[in-house]
Amino acid sequence: MRINGTTNHSSWTFKLEVSEGKENIEKNTSPVTVTAYIGRGSSGSYMTRPEATCEVSVTGCKNKTISYLPNTTVNVAANDYVSIGSVTFDVPHDANGSKTVTISATLNNDVNPTYASASGSMKLVDIPRYCVMSTASNFNDEQNPKITFANPSKYFTLKAKIEAGGNSSLITRTLDKTATSCTFSLTEAERDKLRALCTTSNSLAVRFTICCMSGSTELSASYLDRTMTIVNGNPTFTTFTYKDTNSKVTNLLGSDQLLVKGLSNLQITILATNKMTTKKKATAKNYVVTVDNINKSINYSTSDIVQLIGTLKTSGTKRLTVRAYDSRNNSVAVNKDIFVYEYEKPIINATVNRLNNFENQTTLSVKGSFSKLVVDNVEKNAITSLQYRYREHNGTWNTWTDLEGTITDNKFECKDVILSLDNTKAFEFEVKVVDNLSENTSKLNVDIGQAIFMISSNQKKCFVNGNEVLGFELVDEWN
């Protein structure tokens, strides 16, 4: 930088040239060199240096004097200068590494106390003072994360931090001035601080920060954002029990652990002593029961849980699963394989018909099948009742009457029932078959009797089995 000066002598000029050298990062200083020059104006001539001294000052530094031999005659070209000497100052920068200096110089002699002067200001190059984060990695809640950072000055006491959840001082470490890295050897209490901030998620946004300190004041902060992940956070859950609450089934089979398709009412029980236990600051949320086509959610409770699940629709070996979920949706499942026995209600194949679709004689025929329900090679099921009843259409039912039947393997067949029913009326029938577990009813209808062949004078038509086969005109006289 050039600083032009002023003189009180018409034949002289004065200037300063200022240059900044390589900064000293550790000391926070820069070398500033000031060179003083005297010269002539637009015409050159021989010039005798005056007998004088040059006093130079730089902001923040002790003044220095440039000494030179006076009364030396030199030939100076027009608009040219000759150096009268230079001085170098170690300029201290401000704490943050910045600095703007004012440079001034006065040239004095015995005749004129201020023969010439020059002054100006100059901004020096900023010296890196504060730490800057270099690396930080994602980590899980069981690891000890590490950060590295540039520490150019090694002047300040340092503070390393893990920030999360809006808390800028959640986890802190004080470091030596010369540190360039920090490994956070987390205590269990500190890990729990982090876990408590993500009770509904398996991840947490964290910020690693390095600060230069002046006492308790943070002078700077450099940071990198990363993610902490929860690992090994599934809740603990080990057992539950189940049973059938349909007493008819349990009484027949002699156990509430044996299930029958379509009949058993499956119930599970989770005792308070066996409830799920959560980890890492999560809270318990619910259980989900799955089996067959059933998927049922049950709210968590600290008390015993007794819950009806439902009736299973298919037979065979089924996997009954109870899965425990925490507030992060981490889960653990307990499985039990259960067997569901095949069973169907009795199947009824029944018919009821009038003789020739017309006469009073009416025949009821009944046959069908049932599930034997074999458990450990023992047939547990049997037909206990075969009955029928009938009534005139929309009339009053007569009492149930037993059917006389024979059973072969899992099939039954009843002796035909022959009745005399007024062929001018319609009738309704019900056939009921009962086994050890359930019953089934079949509904039948008997229409009004219809002649095989009929001539209807009022409709002028002929019918066979109720179907019109011929129409004709009536005549009163024959010619």
Side-chain angles (χ1 to χ4, degrees):
M1 182 184 73
R2 175 178 174 175
I3 302 173
N4 291 321
T6 60
T7 70
N8 59 6
H9 193 287
S10 60
S11 63
W12 293 88
T13 59
F14 184 57
K15 74 173 183 178
L16 301 175
E17 286 189 352
V18 183
S19 62
E20 181 183 5
K22 177 64 176 178
E23 72 275 10
N24 187 317
I25 295 176
E26 185 173 354
K27 292 182 178 180
N28 196 31
T29 61
S30 292
V32 174
T33 299
V34 181
T35 304
Y37 293 87
I38 56 173
R40 298 290 293 205
S42 60
S43 61
S45 65
Y46 286 96
M47 180 180 69
T48 301
R49 296 184 186 179
E51 184 178 353
T53 59
C54 183
E55 297 290 334
V56 183
S57 67
V58 174
T59 303
C61 299
K62 184 179 179 180
N63 293 351
K64 293 189 177 185
T65 301
I66 297 176
S67 300
Y68 60 93
L69 295 173
N71 300 320
T72 302
T73 300
V74 293
N75 184 22
V76 180
N79 297 317
D80 202 0
Y81 291 85
V82 293
S83 169
I84 62 173
S86 63
V87 289
T88 299
F89 298 83
D90 282 331
V91 180
H93 286 231
D94 296 337
N96 64 1
S98 66
K99 187 66 176 180
T100 298
V101 293
T102 298
I103 304 102
S104 63
T106 59
L107 190 65
N108 305 306
N109 63 19
D110 295 340
V111 177
N112 297 296
T114 306
Y115 190 74
S117 65
S119 65
S121 62
M122 176 180 179
K123 185 181 186 315
L124 304 183
V125 173
D126 291 340
I127 298 176
R129 296 297 286 157
Y130 299 144
C131 292
V132 178
M133 289 286 291
S134 301
T135 64
S137 58
N138 298 323
F139 67 105
N140 67 52
D141 66 308
E142 296 179 358
Q143 293 176 324
N144 292 318
K146 180 181 179 180
I147 60 173
T148 63
F149 47 88
N151 182 8
S153 70
K154 296 180 174 56
Y155 176 80
F156 301 99
T157 299
L158 306 179
K159 180 193 286 184
K161 303 192 296 182
I162 299 178
E163 305 176 33
N167 187 340
S168 61
S169 298
L170 185 67
I171 297 171
T172 63
R173 297 288 188 270
T174 299
L175 306 178
D176 182 77
K177 294 179 181 181
T178 61
T180 57
S181 67
C182 176
T183 298
F184 291 87
S185 297
L186 299 175
T187 66
E188 197 62 25
E190 288 173 329
R191 297 182 196 279
D192 282 343
K193 283 183 180 181
L194 294 168
R195 293 160 179 161
L197 294 173
C198 57
T199 57
T200 60
S201 173
N202 280 312
S203 63
L204 175 68
V206 300
R207 173 168 288 181
F208 291 103
T209 304
I210 186 69
C211 302
C212 291
M213 304 296 296
S214 176
S216 60
T217 302
E218 295 181 2
L219 299 176
S220 68
S222 176
Y223 63 86
L224 289 173
D225 291 331
R226 294 294 183 262
T227 301
M228 184 200 76
T229 303
I230 300 293
V231 296
N232 301 320
N234 291 345
T236 300
F237 175 57
T238 58
T239 190
F240 67 93
T241 60
Y242 74 91
K243 69 176 183 178
D244 182 6
T245 62
N246 185 332
S247 59
K248 183 176 285 189
V249 175
T250 59
N251 289 338
L252 177 65
L253 302 185
S255 172
D256 59 12
Q257 298 296 290
L258 303 179
L259 304 174
V260 174
K261 184 186 82 173
L263 290 179
S264 292
N265 293 321
L266 179 62
Q267 173 184 285
I268 68 152
T269 299
I270 303 172
L271 297 177
T273 53
N274 295 329
K275 66 182 182 294
M276 80 168 90
T277 302
T278 58
K279 298 178 182 178
K280 299 186 174 181
K281 295 300 180 177
T283 57
K285 187 175 69 171
N286 67 326
Y287 301 92
V288 174
V289 181
T290 55
V291 61
D292 203 18
N293 62 343
I294 297 172
N295 190 304
K296 191 177 188 67
S297 177
I298 306 169
N299 290 333
Y300 173 79
S301 174
T302 56
S303 303
D304 291 351
I305 293 175
V306 179
Q307 180 69 50
L308 278 174
I309 303 305
T311 300
L312 306 183
K313 304 300 182 183
T314 59
S315 60
T317 300
K318 306 293 176 183
R319 173 145 291 190
L320 173 60
T321 300
V322 178
R323 184 174 289 275
Y325 287 88
D326 69 9
S327 55
R328 293 190 181 104
N329 274 335
N330 293 327
S331 66
V332 61
V334 176
N335 301 311
K336 292 181 183 290
D337 288 331
I338 61 176
F339 189 81
V340 181
Y341 289 92
E342 176 63 32
Y343 174 81
E344 298 289 347
K345 287 183 177 182
I347 296 172
I348 302 172
N349 298 312
T351 59
V352 59
N353 295 297
R354 290 183 181 277
L355 180 63
N356 298 320
N357 292 327
F358 172 74
E359 301 181 29
N360 289 348
Q361 181 176 323
T362 302
T363 301
L364 172 65
S365 298
V366 177
K367 61 181 178 179
S369 61
F370 67 98
S371 297
K372 292 191 292 184
L373 193 57
V374 179
V375 178
D376 293 333
N377 296 321
V378 177
E379 295 181 11
K380 296 289 186 176
N381 194 27
I383 296 296
T384 59
S385 174
L386 298 166
Q387 293 181 312
Y388 77 94
R389 66 179 180 177
Y390 67 93
R391 66 179 179 181
E392 187 179 325
H393 183 65
N394 290 332
T396 301
W397 290 103
N398 68 347
T399 58
W400 286 103
T401 302
D402 290 335
L403 288 164
E404 187 178 335
T406 58
I407 296 175
T408 304
D409 198 14
N410 68 323
K411 293 179 172 50
F412 61 88
E413 186 169 359
C414 300
K415 182 178 179 181
D416 286 348
V417 176
I418 299 175
L419 302 169
S420 179
L421 302 178
D422 188 342
N423 69 351
T424 64
K425 298 177 181 180
F427 291 85
E428 300 171 78
F429 275 75
E430 285 187 347
V431 176
K432 180 172 66 175
V433 179
V434 181
D435 66 13
N436 287 329
L437 293 174
S438 64
E439 64 180 48
N440 198 7
T441 301
S442 176
K443 298 181 181 296
L444 306 165
N445 293 300
V446 177
D447 293 331
I448 296 171
Q450 296 180 345
I452 294 175
F453 178 79
M454 180 183 74
I455 299 174
S456 173
S457 60
N458 62 341
Q459 294 187 43
K460 304 178 182 180
K461 297 176 181 178
C462 293
F463 296 87
V464 175
N465 283 331
N467 297 312
E468 179 184 345
V469 295
L470 179 66
F472 59 91
E473 295 292 334
L474 293 175
V475 295
D476 294 332
E477 296 181 1
W478 295 90
N479 294 327

PDB file of all heavy atoms in Angstrom, residues 175-199:
ATOM      1  N   LEU A 175     -12.183 -29.093  26.412  1.00  0.00           N
ATOM      2  CA  LEU A 175     -10.989 -29.633  25.772  1.00  0.00           C
ATOM      3  C   LEU A 175      -9.808 -28.685  25.954  1.00  0.00           C
ATOM      4  O   LEU A 175      -9.969 -27.473  26.137  1.00  0.00           O
ATOM      5  CB  LEU A 175     -11.233 -29.847  24.272  1.00  0.00           C
ATOM      6  CG  LEU A 175     -12.448 -30.684  23.877  1.00  0.00           C
ATOM      7  CD1 LEU A 175     -12.550 -30.753  22.360  1.00  0.00           C
ATOM      8  CD2 LEU A 175     -12.372 -32.081  24.473  1.00  0.00           C
ATOM      9  N   ASP A 176      -8.624 -29.257  25.842  1.00  0.00           N
ATOM     10  CA  ASP A 176      -7.395 -28.473  25.909  1.00  0.00           C
ATOM     11  C   ASP A 176      -7.272 -27.569  24.685  1.00  0.00           C
ATOM     12  O   ASP A 176      -7.830 -27.843  23.623  1.00  0.00           O
ATOM     13  CB  ASP A 176      -6.199 -29.427  25.982  1.00  0.00           C
ATOM     14  CG  ASP A 176      -4.889 -28.689  26.115  1.00  0.00           C
ATOM     15  OD1 ASP A 176      -4.582 -28.215  27.231  1.00  0.00           O
ATOM     16  OD2 ASP A 176      -4.200 -28.569  25.094  1.00  0.00           O
ATOM     17  N   LYS A 177      -6.488 -26.488  24.807  1.00  0.00           N
ATOM     18  CA  LYS A 177      -6.306 -25.534  23.724  1.00  0.00           C
ATOM     19  C   LYS A 177      -5.749 -26.171  22.465  1.00  0.00           C
ATOM     20  O   LYS A 177      -6.000 -25.704  21.355  1.00  0.00           O
ATOM     21  CB  LYS A 177      -5.359 -24.417  24.167  1.00  0.00           C
ATOM     22  CG  LYS A 177      -5.881 -23.536  25.277  1.00  0.00           C
ATOM     23  CD  LYS A 177      -4.846 -22.488  25.646  1.00  0.00           C
ATOM     24  CE  LYS A 177      -5.353 -21.589  26.782  1.00  0.00           C
ATOM     25  NZ  LYS A 177      -4.354 -20.554  27.134  1.00  0.00           N
ATOM     26  N   THR A 178      -4.967 -27.232  22.619  1.00  0.00           N
ATOM     27  CA  THR A 178      -4.297 -27.824  21.457  1.00  0.00           C
ATOM     28  C   THR A 178      -5.100 -28.953  20.815  1.00  0.00           C
ATOM     29  O   THR A 178      -4.640 -29.558  19.840  1.00  0.00           O
ATOM     30  CB  THR A 178      -2.924 -28.375  21.872  1.00  0.00           C
ATOM     31  OG1 THR A 178      -3.118 -29.396  22.864  1.00  0.00           O
ATOM     32  CG2 THR A 178      -2.048 -27.278  22.451  1.00  0.00           C
ATOM     33  N   ALA A 179      -6.281 -29.238  21.314  1.00  0.00           N
ATOM     34  CA  ALA A 179      -7.055 -30.390  20.828  1.00  0.00           C
ATOM     35  C   ALA A 179      -7.478 -30.202  19.381  1.00  0.00           C
ATOM     36  O   ALA A 179      -7.768 -29.091  18.930  1.00  0.00           O
ATOM     37  CB  ALA A 179      -8.278 -30.599  21.714  1.00  0.00           C
ATOM     38  N   THR A 180      -7.539 -31.301  18.658  1.00  0.00           N
ATOM     39  CA  THR A 180      -8.051 -31.305  17.286  1.00  0.00           C
ATOM     40  C   THR A 180      -9.112 -32.389  17.080  1.00  0.00           C
ATOM     41  O   THR A 180      -9.569 -32.598  15.955  1.00  0.00           O
ATOM     42  CB  THR A 180      -6.914 -31.517  16.277  1.00  0.00           C
ATOM     43  OG1 THR A 180      -6.238 -32.737  16.594  1.00  0.00           O
ATOM     44  CG2 THR A 180      -5.934 -30.357  16.310  1.00  0.00           C
ATOM     45  N   SER A 181      -9.473 -33.095  18.145  1.00  0.00           N
ATOM     46  CA  SER A 181     -10.527 -34.112  18.052  1.00  0.00           C
ATOM     47  C   SER A 181     -11.130 -34.317  19.435  1.00  0.00           C
ATOM     48  O   SER A 181     -10.557 -33.909  20.451  1.00  0.00           O
ATOM     49  CB  SER A 181      -9.972 -35.439  17.517  1.00  0.00           C
ATOM     50  OG  SER A 181      -9.084 -36.018  18.452  1.00  0.00           O
ATOM     51  N   CYS A 182     -12.288 -34.960  19.414  1.00  0.00           N
ATOM     52  CA  CYS A 182     -12.957 -35.285  20.685  1.00  0.00           C
ATOM     53  C   CYS A 182     -13.772 -36.551  20.496  1.00  0.00           C
ATOM     54  O   CYS A 182     -14.592 -36.637  19.575  1.00  0.00           O
ATOM     55  CB  CYS A 182     -13.867 -34.142  21.136  1.00  0.00           C
ATOM     56  SG  CYS A 182     -14.821 -34.522  22.636  1.00  0.00           S
ATOM     57  N   THR A 183     -13.537 -37.530  21.341  1.00  0.00           N
ATOM     58  CA  THR A 183     -14.374 -38.730  21.385  1.00  0.00           C
ATOM     59  C   THR A 183     -15.277 -38.625  22.607  1.00  0.00           C
ATOM     60  O   THR A 183     -14.794 -38.509  23.733  1.00  0.00           O
ATOM     61  CB  THR A 183     -13.525 -40.001  21.463  1.00  0.00           C
ATOM     62  OG1 THR A 183     -12.713 -40.094  20.292  1.00  0.00           O
ATOM     63  CG2 THR A 183     -14.415 -41.236  21.550  1.00  0.00           C
ATOM     64  N   PHE A 184     -16.580 -38.649  22.366  1.00  0.00           N
ATOM     65  CA  PHE A 184     -17.540 -38.555  23.459  1.00  0.00           C
ATOM     66  C   PHE A 184     -17.723 -39.944  24.074  1.00  0.00           C
ATOM     67  O   PHE A 184     -18.451 -40.777  23.540  1.00  0.00           O
ATOM     68  CB  PHE A 184     -18.883 -38.025  22.955  1.00  0.00           C
ATOM     69  CG  PHE A 184     -18.867 -36.588  22.542  1.00  0.00           C
ATOM     70  CD1 PHE A 184     -18.517 -36.230  21.249  1.00  0.00           C
ATOM     71  CD2 PHE A 184     -19.205 -35.584  23.442  1.00  0.00           C
ATOM     72  CE1 PHE A 184     -18.517 -34.903  20.848  1.00  0.00           C
ATOM     73  CE2 PHE A 184     -19.197 -34.253  23.055  1.00  0.00           C
ATOM     74  CZ  PHE A 184     -18.844 -33.907  21.760  1.00  0.00           C
ATOM     75  N   SER A 185     -17.053 -40.192  25.179  1.00  0.00           N
ATOM     76  CA  SER A 185     -17.257 -41.448  25.906  1.00  0.00           C
ATOM     77  C   SER A 185     -18.496 -41.267  26.774  1.00  0.00           C
ATOM     78  O   SER A 185     -18.438 -40.784  27.910  1.00  0.00           O
ATOM     79  CB  SER A 185     -16.024 -41.768  26.764  1.00  0.00           C
ATOM     80  OG  SER A 185     -14.891 -41.965  25.949  1.00  0.00           O
ATOM     81  N   LEU A 186     -19.623 -41.637  26.200  1.00  0.00           N
ATOM     82  CA  LEU A 186     -20.912 -41.313  26.823  1.00  0.00           C
ATOM     83  C   LEU A 186     -21.192 -42.196  28.030  1.00  0.00           C
ATOM     84  O   LEU A 186     -20.969 -43.413  28.004  1.00  0.00           O
ATOM     85  CB  LEU A 186     -22.036 -41.478  25.797  1.00  0.00           C
ATOM     86  CG  LEU A 186     -21.945 -40.573  24.560  1.00  0.00           C
ATOM     87  CD1 LEU A 186     -23.039 -40.927  23.561  1.00  0.00           C
ATOM     88  CD2 LEU A 186     -22.032 -39.102  24.943  1.00  0.00           C
ATOM     89  N   THR A 187     -21.712 -41.584  29.067  1.00  0.00           N
ATOM     90  CA  THR A 187     -22.209 -42.342  30.214  1.00  0.00           C
ATOM     91  C   THR A 187     -23.603 -42.858  29.882  1.00  0.00           C
ATOM     92  O   THR A 187     -24.252 -42.395  28.936  1.00  0.00           O
ATOM     93  CB  THR A 187     -22.266 -41.463  31.464  1.00  0.00           C
ATOM     94  OG1 THR A 187     -23.259 -40.439  31.264  1.00  0.00           O
ATOM     95  CG2 THR A 187     -20.916 -40.810  31.755  1.00  0.00           C
ATOM     96  N   GLU A 188     -24.076 -43.819  30.670  1.00  0.00           N
ATOM     97  CA  GLU A 188     -25.424 -44.339  30.432  1.00  0.00           C
ATOM     98  C   GLU A 188     -26.466 -43.247  30.635  1.00  0.00           C
ATOM     99  O   GLU A 188     -27.484 -43.204  29.930  1.00  0.00           O
ATOM    100  CB  GLU A 188     -25.697 -45.527  31.351  1.00  0.00           C
ATOM    101  CG  GLU A 188     -26.867 -46.388  30.913  1.00  0.00           C
ATOM    102  CD  GLU A 188     -26.663 -47.031  29.542  1.00  0.00           C
ATOM    103  OE1 GLU A 188     -25.497 -47.218  29.130  1.00  0.00           O
ATOM    104  OE2 GLU A 188     -27.675 -47.333  28.877  1.00  0.00           O
ATOM    105  N   ALA A 189     -26.218 -42.357  31.578  1.00  0.00           N
ATOM    106  CA  ALA A 189     -27.151 -41.245  31.809  1.00  0.00           C
ATOM    107  C   ALA A 189     -27.207 -40.330  30.591  1.00  0.00           C
ATOM    108  O   ALA A 189     -28.289 -39.843  30.211  1.00  0.00           O
ATOM    109  CB  ALA A 189     -26.743 -40.467  33.052  1.00  0.00           C
ATOM    110  N   GLU A 190     -26.060 -40.098  29.961  1.00  0.00           N
ATOM    111  CA  GLU A 190     -26.046 -39.250  28.768  1.00  0.00           C
ATOM    112  C   GLU A 190     -26.723 -39.951  27.599  1.00  0.00           C
ATOM    113  O   GLU A 190     -27.441 -39.316  26.808  1.00  0.00           O
ATOM    114  CB  GLU A 190     -24.603 -38.891  28.412  1.00  0.00           C
ATOM    115  CG  GLU A 190     -23.980 -37.900  29.385  1.00  0.00           C
ATOM    116  CD  GLU A 190     -22.506 -37.663  29.127  1.00  0.00           C
ATOM    117  OE1 GLU A 190     -21.816 -38.611  28.655  1.00  0.00           O
ATOM    118  OE2 GLU A 190     -22.029 -36.556  29.401  1.00  0.00           O
ATOM    119  N   ARG A 191     -26.521 -41.246  27.479  1.00  0.00           N
ATOM    120  CA  ARG A 191     -27.211 -41.986  26.413  1.00  0.00           C
ATOM    121  C   ARG A 191     -28.731 -41.894  26.615  1.00  0.00           C
ATOM    122  O   ARG A 191     -29.492 -41.735  25.650  1.00  0.00           O
ATOM    123  CB  ARG A 191     -26.769 -43.446  26.404  1.00  0.00           C
ATOM    124  CG  ARG A 191     -25.294 -43.640  26.094  1.00  0.00           C
ATOM    125  CD  ARG A 191     -24.918 -45.125  26.037  1.00  0.00           C
ATOM    126  NE  ARG A 191     -23.483 -45.295  26.112  1.00  0.00           N
ATOM    127  CZ  ARG A 191     -22.646 -45.149  25.084  1.00  0.00           C
ATOM    128  NH1 ARG A 191     -23.135 -44.844  23.900  1.00  0.00           N
ATOM    129  NH2 ARG A 191     -21.341 -45.324  25.248  1.00  0.00           N
ATOM    130  N   ASP A 192     -29.151 -41.995  27.876  1.00  0.00           N
ATOM    131  CA  ASP A 192     -30.590 -41.909  28.163  1.00  0.00           C
ATOM    132  C   ASP A 192     -31.149 -40.525  27.853  1.00  0.00           C
ATOM    133  O   ASP A 192     -32.317 -40.388  27.475  1.00  0.00           O
ATOM    134  CB  ASP A 192     -30.873 -42.278  29.618  1.00  0.00           C
ATOM    135  CG  ASP A 192     -30.844 -43.782  29.854  1.00  0.00           C
ATOM    136  OD1 ASP A 192     -30.927 -44.529  28.856  1.00  0.00           O
ATOM    137  OD2 ASP A 192     -30.747 -44.205  31.017  1.00  0.00           O
ATOM    138  N   LYS A 193     -30.333 -39.486  27.991  1.00  0.00           N
ATOM    139  CA  LYS A 193     -30.781 -38.147  27.605  1.00  0.00           C
ATOM    140  C   LYS A 193     -31.124 -38.117  26.119  1.00  0.00           C
ATOM    141  O   LYS A 193     -32.139 -37.531  25.713  1.00  0.00           O
ATOM    142  CB  LYS A 193     -29.684 -37.121  27.885  1.00  0.00           C
ATOM    143  CG  LYS A 193     -29.516 -36.721  29.336  1.00  0.00           C
ATOM    144  CD  LYS A 193     -28.441 -35.635  29.448  1.00  0.00           C
ATOM    145  CE  LYS A 193     -28.221 -35.198  30.879  1.00  0.00           C
ATOM    146  NZ  LYS A 193     -27.194 -34.133  30.969  1.00  0.00           N
ATOM    147  N   LEU A 194     -30.267 -38.730  25.322  1.00  0.00           N
ATOM    148  CA  LEU A 194     -30.514 -38.774  23.879  1.00  0.00           C
ATOM    149  C   LEU A 194     -31.713 -39.644  23.549  1.00  0.00           C
ATOM    150  O   LEU A 194     -32.573 -39.280  22.737  1.00  0.00           O
ATOM    151  CB  LEU A 194     -29.265 -39.303  23.160  1.00  0.00           C
ATOM    152  CG  LEU A 194     -28.021 -38.411  23.240  1.00  0.00           C
ATOM    153  CD1 LEU A 194     -26.789 -39.167  22.765  1.00  0.00           C
ATOM    154  CD2 LEU A 194     -28.204 -37.150  22.404  1.00  0.00           C
ATOM    155  N   ARG A 195     -31.807 -40.810  24.188  1.00  0.00           N
ATOM    156  CA  ARG A 195     -32.914 -41.729  23.904  1.00  0.00           C
ATOM    157  C   ARG A 195     -34.255 -41.117  24.284  1.00  0.00           C
ATOM    158  O   ARG A 195     -35.268 -41.341  23.602  1.00  0.00           O
ATOM    159  CB  ARG A 195     -32.703 -43.028  24.678  1.00  0.00           C
ATOM    160  CG  ARG A 195     -31.504 -43.838  24.219  1.00  0.00           C
ATOM    161  CD  ARG A 195     -31.046 -44.823  25.265  1.00  0.00           C
ATOM    162  NE  ARG A 195     -29.898 -45.625  24.829  1.00  0.00           N
ATOM    163  CZ  ARG A 195     -29.103 -46.285  25.653  1.00  0.00           C
ATOM    164  NH1 ARG A 195     -29.311 -46.238  26.975  1.00  0.00           N
ATOM    165  NH2 ARG A 195     -28.089 -46.978  25.182  1.00  0.00           N
ATOM    166  N   ALA A 196     -34.258 -40.343  25.358  1.00  0.00           N
ATOM    167  CA  ALA A 196     -35.510 -39.743  25.820  1.00  0.00           C
ATOM    168  C   ALA A 196     -36.058 -38.709  24.847  1.00  0.00           C
ATOM    169  O   ALA A 196     -37.224 -38.329  24.927  1.00  0.00           O
ATOM    170  CB  ALA A 196     -35.301 -39.104  27.195  1.00  0.00           C
ATOM    171  N   LEU A 197     -35.212 -38.250  23.925  1.00  0.00           N
ATOM    172  CA  LEU A 197     -35.644 -37.266  22.937  1.00  0.00           C
ATOM    173  C   LEU A 197     -36.214 -37.907  21.675  1.00  0.00           C
ATOM    174  O   LEU A 197     -36.633 -37.197  20.760  1.00  0.00           O
ATOM    175  CB  LEU A 197     -34.475 -36.350  22.563  1.00  0.00           C
ATOM    176  CG  LEU A 197     -33.962 -35.442  23.690  1.00  0.00           C
ATOM    177  CD1 LEU A 197     -32.697 -34.715  23.254  1.00  0.00           C
ATOM    178  CD2 LEU A 197     -35.035 -34.430  24.099  1.00  0.00           C
ATOM    179  N   CYS A 198     -36.225 -39.251  21.613  1.00  0.00           N
ATOM    180  CA  CYS A 198     -36.773 -39.915  20.408  1.00  0.00           C
ATOM    181  C   CYS A 198     -37.570 -41.153  20.813  1.00  0.00           C
ATOM    182  O   CYS A 198     -37.308 -42.252  20.323  1.00  0.00           O
ATOM    183  CB  CYS A 198     -35.656 -40.280  19.423  1.00  0.00           C
ATOM    184  SG  CYS A 198     -34.355 -41.333  20.102  1.00  0.00           S
ATOM    185  N   THR A 199     -38.529 -40.968  21.709  1.00  0.00           N
ATOM    186  CA  THR A 199     -39.305 -42.106  22.213  1.00  0.00           C
ATOM    187  C   THR A 199     -40.313 -42.629  21.195  1.00  0.00           C
ATOM    188  O   THR A 199     -40.880 -43.704  21.387  1.00  0.00           O
ATOM    189  CB  THR A 199     -40.054 -41.718  23.494  1.00  0.00           C
ATOM    190  OG1 THR A 199     -40.897 -40.592  23.212  1.00  0.00           O
ATOM    191  CG2 THR A 199     -39.087 -41.355  24.602  1.00  0.00           C
TER     192      THR A 199
END
